[in-house]
Amino acid sequence: MKVQNLDSSEPFSVRVEALLAQMTLEEKLGQMMQLAARDGDFDSYIERYHLGSYLHAVGDEVVRLQNLNQDRSRLKIPLIFGIDAIHGHCLEDQTTVFPVQLAMACTWNTDLIKQMGQVTANEARASNLHWTFSPVLCMGRDPRWGRTSETFGEDTLLVSTFAAALCEGYQTAEYPLAACAKHYAAYGEASGGRDSADVHVSERVLRNLLLPPFEHLAQSGCKTFMAGYQSLNGEPCSSNIWLMNDVLRKEWGYQGVVVTDWNNCGQMATLQNAAVDLKEAVFQCLQASNDVFMATPDFFDLAKELIAEGRIAESRIDESVRRILKLKFELGLFDELKAPDRKTLLADKNRWDLALQAAQESVTLVKNTGVLPLSSATRRILLVGENADCLRNQLGDWSFIPGMAAYEDTTSHRADTVTLYRALLDYCKRDGIELVYLGADFVGPEREQSDYQYIQQQAAEADVILFCAGDALKQYGEFHDRADLNLPGNQNPAFEILQGSGKPLVSVLLMSKPHCVSRVLDKSDAALVVFNPGAKGGVAIADCLFGSFNPCGRLPISFPRHVGQLPVYYNQSPGWHARLSAHYGGQDAYVDLPSSPLLAFGEGISYSNIEYGEARLSCKHLSAPEKAVELSLSLTNNSDCDAIEIVQLYCQLWIPGVTGPAKQLLKFERICVAAGESSQVVFHLICEDFIVLNRALKKWRYQGKVELMVGKSSKREDLQMLALTIV
């Protein structure tokens, strides 16, 4: 795209300064605005605000708006188009809908997550989009929060590792897409799981658990950051000087673009009472080095007033515009930008193979008494549960254009999505099995007794019962938090009928996040956890049920027994006085419940029997920074099918004057163990693996006792203990 008086042979920095020198104040402020392509007159923004960016434009609108900008803008600075491509470029039909982030975390497969990012980038660029508001680096430590499905779970290492892989996929694709690390920071920590409510966490918790994934992406080239909606320790993130300037810009040296979330600035005055009016909110957000103001059209006139009054210097505006223009140059927007042919790209079936692989590897088997895989002698299957044939609930949040229309969408992704019911029909037709499906709508009114009697009758005639339980799209996502994590609606009464039949019962927990399903897990013969698995999720579940692949998913998040237990994340610090009571045998417990989660972080099994050999250390002392200690163990597959095992290494440290977690994930290895064979696993440990924050919150190379724990989950009974000393 031709821009006046710019020499394309010059470095980006030179071209940025040349262009900046030509811009009026109004044109600069326009570059700092992003507005939605939704309102009736959104195309007028180009002239009214000299607009620099749109979000949620799709289809032909993108090309039309870009062309309109070239016709109407003086300097012809190209627009940058943003989109919420969270688990695929899902907001347009026919595109690849991958499993949600929480499901992808169940794979513990960084290569797969990177490939997902590459496919998403190419598909978004085929729609002439440039910027995705992903990955999400928030942590799912309170499943009441409606956006838990958007996280990579509850652990810092997993969030950091998987977010970096997704970011790399976006930005190294054949047609790169700018990634956005969000929501900076601690957005998921709101009290009570209330979306965007005030967050109060200590600086130690921030620096130990919540900031490291953001720091990693800031220093590894993530092009943009998004500020969180909420206030952090009483200050809205978008105006938090410590968070935005001291940590992000100065301490980490981040020079990328920072965008507010949707009207963060306006909410400071209208919702959070952090500014007396919108003008004061704009002033505070400009002080905190935000670059792009999303969905706050009043920014334009109010920023002009602040500059005219001398409260904000135009040089402050120049700082942001430099970063924005640099991003546009880096993405090639000033060139004759090439994009993949959409029709050719969507005709490529390999993307669906990847989506199926992702769904398969996300399936997490958490119980099996031997009923799975289903026997070839099975002649009649009863399938119960609305989620077995509900496309919206299977795909999950951010699979449709945001808003009320998402709950009524009857066209998007219909051609490519296969539900569990549809997939089972294929299996049953092939093998001569009768399949009976009862939807058991769980968001409708209470069922009549005759309905339950019919379920009972059908259960009595079945060889195997599949109970597909979960939540509905309206029950999670932004704005939709839950106080009650029991299965909603009619599902528990239906389950009681089914488990009372005495027939083999398999529960498929197809849901957005952990629920309280103690009785379901206890009374089922087998159970699968399948967080919103994307368009090919139904095929993946059916394949697992019939043994077409060996499940390998591991939980990245813990399940509570009861909502009153929360929090139940695995890496809590010791100190609970309950264990001092004579009533609990030296264990932590409530009077009415144990402290342990129903399902633990890292938990999951396969159809194979994997035997862990004795773990050994090559040396019990780690001293020289340049040397490593090896922790090794063997895995033996005592079965007739290959298996993928996720070997997890945890540690506990004793930092002087600091209470630390009882265990923290240190490393993990994803390893294939062939049927009837053994494989060796080796972890290399160096001093740099044990950098911690001391009492003064300074990074310190740890010295002293280390308890290493290695095994197949975070549960103590699944772990071997080894002692190491760092000197």
Side-chain angles (χ1 to χ4, degrees), residues 153-175:
E154 69 186 39
D155 177 75
T156 301
L157 177 65
L158 290 194
V159 171
S160 185
T161 302
F162 298 156
L166 188 53
C167 177
E168 184 181 1
Y170 292 145
Q171 296 188 173
T172 63
E174 183 179 1
Y175 297 91

Side-chain angles (χ1 to χ4, degrees), residues 551-693:
C552 62
R554 299 293 184 271
L555 294 178
I557 192 168
S558 305
F559 276 59
R561 301 172 187 272
H562 185 279
V563 73
Q565 272 189 309
L566 295 174
V568 293
Y569 46 80
Y570 82 94
N571 53 352
Q572 297 185 52
S573 296
W576 192 2
H577 268 200
R579 68 177 60 185
L580 303 181
S581 169
H583 299 288
Y584 305 134
Q587 301 297 313
D588 289 333
Y590 290 97
V591 171
D592 47 1
L593 275 177
S595 64
S596 60
L598 175 66
L599 293 169
F601 175 84
E603 192 168 351
I605 57 177
S606 69
Y607 293 147
S608 301
N609 176 23
I610 304 296
E611 179 183 342
Y612 278 64
E614 182 182 358
R616 300 177 184 275
L617 289 172
S618 62
C619 180
K620 292 187 177 181
H621 294 83
L622 178 59
S623 54
E626 66 275 7
K627 292 186 178 180
V629 168
E630 292 184 353
L631 187 158
S632 60
L633 72 159
S634 64
L635 303 179
T636 302
N637 185 347
N638 299 313
S639 71
D640 57 1
C641 60
D642 297 345
I644 291 174
E645 188 72 8
I646 313 294
V647 185
Q648 302 158 43
L649 177 61
Y650 299 86
C651 71
Q652 182 177 14
L653 308 177
W654 284 261
I655 305 169
V658 175
T659 300
K663 64 172 70 75
Q664 185 70 43
L665 185 65
L666 182 64
K667 294 175 182 284
F668 64 90
E669 286 289 337
R670 192 174 188 275
I671 186 166
C672 182
V673 190
E677 297 186 7
S678 297
S679 295
Q680 193 78 0
V681 178
V682 179
F683 292 100
H684 298 272
L685 304 176
I686 60 175
C687 290
E688 294 298 316
D689 292 326
F690 300 95
I691 302 297
V692 297
L693 294 181

Side-chain angles (χ1 to χ4, degrees), residues 243-257:
L243 184 70
M244 303 292 284
N245 293 356
D246 296 346
V247 176
L248 181 62
R249 298 296 192 189
K250 296 176 184 176
E251 187 177 324
W252 298 347
Y254 186 66
Q255 294 300 312
V257 169

Side-chain angles (χ1 to χ4, degrees), residues 139 141 156 186 189 200-213 215 232-233 242 247 571 573 653-661 664 691-700 702:
M139 288 193 189
R141 304 205 309 162
T156 301
E189 299 298 299
H200 286 271
V201 291
S202 69
E203 185 176 350
R204 181 169 299 280
V205 170
L206 280 167
R207 290 190 177 276
N208 266 334
L209 298 177
L210 306 175
L211 291 182
E215 182 178 9
L232 177 60
N233 297 325
W242 177 82
V247 176
N571 53 352
S573 296
L653 308 177
W654 284 261
I655 305 169
V658 175
T659 300
Q664 185 70 43
I691 302 297
V692 297
L693 294 181
N694 65 14
R695 198 170 188 171
L697 290 176
K698 303 298 182 183
K699 288 185 178 180
W700 173 59
Y702 179 79

Side-chain angles (χ1 to χ4, degrees), residues 161-341:
T161 302
F162 298 156
L166 188 53
C167 177
E168 184 181 1
Y170 292 145
Q171 296 188 173
T172 63
E174 183 179 1
Y175 297 91
L177 191 66
C180 183
K182 73 179 193 183
H183 307 81
Y184 181 68
Y187 178 41
E189 299 298 299
S191 175
R194 301 172 186 133
D195 185 44
S196 193
D198 198 15
V199 168
H200 286 271
V201 291
S202 69
E203 185 176 350
R204 181 169 299 280
V205 170
L206 280 167
R207 290 190 177 276
N208 266 334
L209 298 177
L210 306 175
L211 291 182
F214 287 100
E215 182 178 9
H216 182 53
L217 262 67
Q219 295 178 347
S220 60
C222 185
K223 291 188 179 297
T224 71
F225 265 52
M226 178 183 285
Y229 277 122
Q230 90 291 350
S231 63
L232 177 60
N233 297 325
E235 297 183 46
C237 288
S238 287
S239 64
N240 191 311
I241 297 296
W242 177 82
L243 184 70
M244 303 292 284
N245 293 356
D246 296 346
V247 176
L248 181 62
R249 298 296 192 189
K250 296 176 184 176
E251 187 177 324
W252 298 347
Y254 186 66
Q255 294 300 312
V257 169
V258 174
V259 58
T260 72
D261 207 337
W262 185 281
N263 196 27
N264 279 12
C265 185
Q267 285 188 171
M268 288 176 58
T270 62
L271 188 62
Q272 295 171 315
N273 296 334
V276 68
D277 55 28
L278 189 50
K279 185 175 180 179
E280 180 63 23
V282 170
F283 173 71
Q284 291 184 36
C285 289
L286 283 171
Q287 284 188 311
S289 73
N290 294 275
D291 298 312
V292 176
F293 286 68
M294 180 193 290
T296 308
D298 292 321
F299 165 81
F300 187 80
D301 290 327
L302 295 175
K304 283 173 61 178
E305 291 180 19
L306 289 167
I307 293 165
E309 293 166 3
R311 296 183 66 195
I312 294 292
E314 188 168 348
S315 59
R316 162 65 190 92
I317 304 301
D318 291 347
E319 290 175 4
S320 285
V321 177
R322 282 189 182 94
R323 289 191 280 259
I324 295 164
L325 294 178
K326 180 175 180 286
L327 175 64
K328 291 185 174 185
F329 276 115
E330 288 176 342
L331 290 172
L333 304 191
F334 288 88
D335 305 321
E336 292 299 326
L337 191 61
K338 294 182 179 179
D341 179 69

Side-chain angles (χ1 to χ4, degrees), residues 353-399:
D353 293 339
L354 187 68
L356 176 58
Q357 179 189 351
Q360 289 175 334
E361 293 190 12
S362 77
V363 173
T364 305
L365 180 66
V366 294
K367 183 179 181 181
N368 188 21
T369 61
V371 67
L372 292 180
L374 293 176
S375 168
S376 58
T378 302
R379 299 271 57 90
R380 193 171 195 268
I381 295 174
L382 173 63
L383 175 64
V384 179
E386 181 185 4
N387 277 4
D389 197 33
C390 181
L391 177 144
R392 285 191 293 271
N393 297 351
Q394 177 175 310
L395 298 185
D397 201 19
W398 295 111
S399 299

